[in-house]
Amino acid sequence: VFRTTHFSLFAVLSVVVYPSVQAEIGLGDEGVLTTDDLPGFKVQIPSQALSGSGTTLVKATVYYADEPYHIEDGEGMALASACVGLEPHGIQFNRPVSVSIPIPSYQDISQLAGASLEVWSSPASTAA
C-alpha cells in the first residue's frame, strides 16, 4: 500500500539479472548454447557454419522470461515466449543455425489465438 497525491501509472519493479550463455566456436566446429535458466532453449550451430579464421564468440541473453505472458482476448500481438538476443548481431552463417525457444503457455495461447503463432526477429543489420 502506498499513498499518492495524483493519479498516474504505477508499478512495482524489481531488479532482475537475466541469464546469458556464451561459447567460443571454431571455424570448422559445431557448437551448442543452452541454459538451465530457460529449459528448452537451444542454439545449434552446425560445423562449417562460420566463416573467417580463428574462433567466434557466440552469446545468447534471455531478456524476458517471466510468466505469465500477456494475452488479451486473442486480439493483436502478444509475447508468447522469452525474448532472446543472439550475438554477434548481423553475423551471416554458411549453413542454417537452429534456434529453439520454448513456448511455456502454448495450450492457452493456441486456444485463445487459434494457434496463429509466428516468429519475429529484428533485421540482421540492427546493432545492440
Side-chain angles (χ1 to χ4, degrees), residues 74-96:
E75 292 183 10
M77 300 294 273
L79 189 61
S81 72
C83 181
V84 179
L86 300 174
E87 298 175 42
H89 290 276
I91 191 170
Q92 295 293 308
F93 295 100
N94 298 324
R95 298 181 61 200

Side-chain angles (χ1 to χ4, degrees), residues 8-122:
S8 184
L9 297 174
F10 297 98
V12 177
L13 304 175
S14 66
V15 176
V16 177
V17 177
Y18 289 112
S20 67
V21 61
Q22 61 187 30
E24 292 261 349
I25 301 174
L27 177 60
D29 299 335
E30 62 182 45
V32 175
L33 293 176
T34 62
T35 176
D36 292 338
D37 294 308
L38 185 59
F41 168 75
K42 185 182 208 178
V43 176
Q44 290 182 280
I45 300 172
S47 63
Q48 307 300 321
L50 295 169
S51 298
S53 60
T55 60
T56 299
L57 181 65
V58 178
K59 182 178 179 182
T61 303
V62 181
Y63 292 109
Y64 183 77
D66 304 315
E67 292 187 56
Y69 299 104
H70 183 69
I71 304 170
E72 272 189 23
D73 302 325
E75 292 183 10
M77 300 294 273
L79 189 61
S81 72
C83 181
V84 179
L86 300 174
E87 298 175 42
H89 290 276
I91 191 170
Q92 295 293 308
F93 295 100
N94 298 324
R95 298 181 61 200
V97 171
S98 296
V99 180
S100 299
I101 300 176
I103 304 173
S105 302
Y106 179 75
Q107 293 296 344
D108 295 336
I109 293 168
S110 65
Q111 288 176 0
L112 198 55
S116 177
L117 299 175
E118 63 182 73
V119 174
W120 178 89
S121 66
S122 62

